[in-house]
Amino acid sequence: MAEHTVKAFDEDIDKLRGLIAEMGGRAESALEDAMIALVREDKKLAAQVVAGDQRIDELESEVEKLAIQTIALRAPMANDLREVIAALKIVGVVERIGDYAKNIAKRVPLVAVNKRTLEPVSLLPSMAQIAGEMVHDALNAFSARDADLALAVVNRDTVVDDFYNSIFRTLVTFMVENPKTITECAHLLFIAKNIERIGDHATNVAEMVYYAATGQYLPDRERGDTTEIS
């Protein structure tokens, strides 16, 4: 491959990594701000999170266009092709993470009343922090092609699942004992499920990174026994 082609490909990869890093940073911030809005009952901040999701969607389109252009013009092979394909897949997952953060923010006005009486609210920020750290580390692993860091992210997913199961059981018990809180508890269950899904998506990103870096798939893992909420 000609030197100028190699340089052009490297520039494209660097730009792809930069765009995905920006997307990931915005998704992380959206999750963090959504949880702050929930704890502080800050409807204005929640609205900002919802509005900010548009930029994440725009970045997704930019990454997709650049990745397709890179494949068409540079004809990458082997490791390089795996990285571009991984970028295409990862960007869709990161966009979904942003959507989950937006969904959490949308529920903030619905649980602002009487939520202080609900003990599980105190567990949600800790659960969200772990999920956010998983997203951060998964994207760092992509940027550095770090298979070990990607594997560490995958192994952390059970912690988020355990949080979800604990919150689910607590909220169901609370609803049975305090029927007047059913509406608020239901919204909190959806929030907890969104956080759990963010952890799953961070794990998916890490699995893609591991494959891009090593050319090998991770063995199928057993997911936590989490209760689905449709």
Side-chain angles (χ1 to χ4, degrees), residues 4 31 35 59 72 77 83 91 98 106 128 136 140-141 144 162 182 191 204 222:
H4 71 278
L31 175 59
M35 297 312 299
L59 285 166
M77 302 292 289
E83 184 159 6
V91 72
K106 283 183 175 180
H136 181 83
N140 277 352
D162 289 343
I182 287 177
I191 289 172
N204 291 341
E222 293 185 5

Side-chain angles (χ1 to χ4, degrees), residues 15-204:
K15 188 173 181 180
L16 278 172
R17 289 173 177 165
L19 289 171
I20 291 175
E22 182 182 350
M23 271 190 79
R26 288 178 178 274
E28 288 176 52
S29 295
L31 175 59
E32 182 179 353
D33 288 345
M35 297 312 299
I36 291 173
L38 175 67
V39 172
R40 298 180 181 175
E41 302 182 6
D42 190 336
K43 297 179 183 179
K44 182 177 179 180
L45 180 58
Q48 290 173 357
V49 172
V50 174
D53 186 62
Q54 181 177 350
R55 178 55 185 159
I56 295 177
D57 293 342
E58 292 169 352
L59 285 166
E60 179 189 22
S61 296
E62 290 182 40
V63 171
E64 289 176 344
K65 290 177 183 177
L66 179 58
I68 292 171
Q69 175 183 300
T70 300
I71 292 172
L73 297 181
R74 317 301 180 202
M77 302 292 289
N79 293 351
D80 294 333
L81 180 59
R82 286 203 306 270
E83 184 159 6
V84 178
I85 295 300
L88 265 175
K89 293 181 177 180
I90 287 170
V91 72
V93 177
V94 176
E95 189 275 335
R96 288 298 298 146
I97 290 172
D99 283 345
Y100 286 121
K102 178 180 68 175
N103 290 344
I104 292 170
K106 283 183 175 180
R107 291 188 181 272
V108 168
L110 303 176
V111 296
V113 179
N114 296 327
K115 79 171 180 59
R116 295 188 186 279
T117 65
L118 303 177
E119 179 183 352
V121 172
S122 63
L123 298 177
L124 290 171
S126 297
M127 180 185 179
Q129 181 179 354
I130 296 171
E133 289 171 353
M134 289 174 64
V135 174
H136 181 83
D137 288 348
L139 293 174
N140 277 352
F142 171 70
S143 179
R145 294 179 66 91
D146 189 335
D148 290 336
L149 181 57
L151 184 58
V153 172
V154 172
N155 291 335
R156 239 183 300 167
D157 187 46
T158 55
V159 178
V160 177
D161 290 341
D162 289 343
F163 257 106
Y164 175 75
N165 289 331
S166 176
I167 291 170
F168 181 88
R169 288 191 296 267
T170 301
L171 283 172
V172 169
T173 300
F174 203 90
M175 284 188 283
V176 171
E177 296 176 351
N178 305 273
K180 292 182 180 180
T181 67
I182 287 177
T183 299
E184 289 83 358
C185 286
H187 290 309
L188 291 175
L189 279 173
F190 277 105
I191 289 172
K193 189 60 185 178
N194 280 323
I195 297 171
E196 189 267 336
R197 292 299 294 146
I198 288 173
D200 283 345
H201 281 310
T203 301
N204 291 341

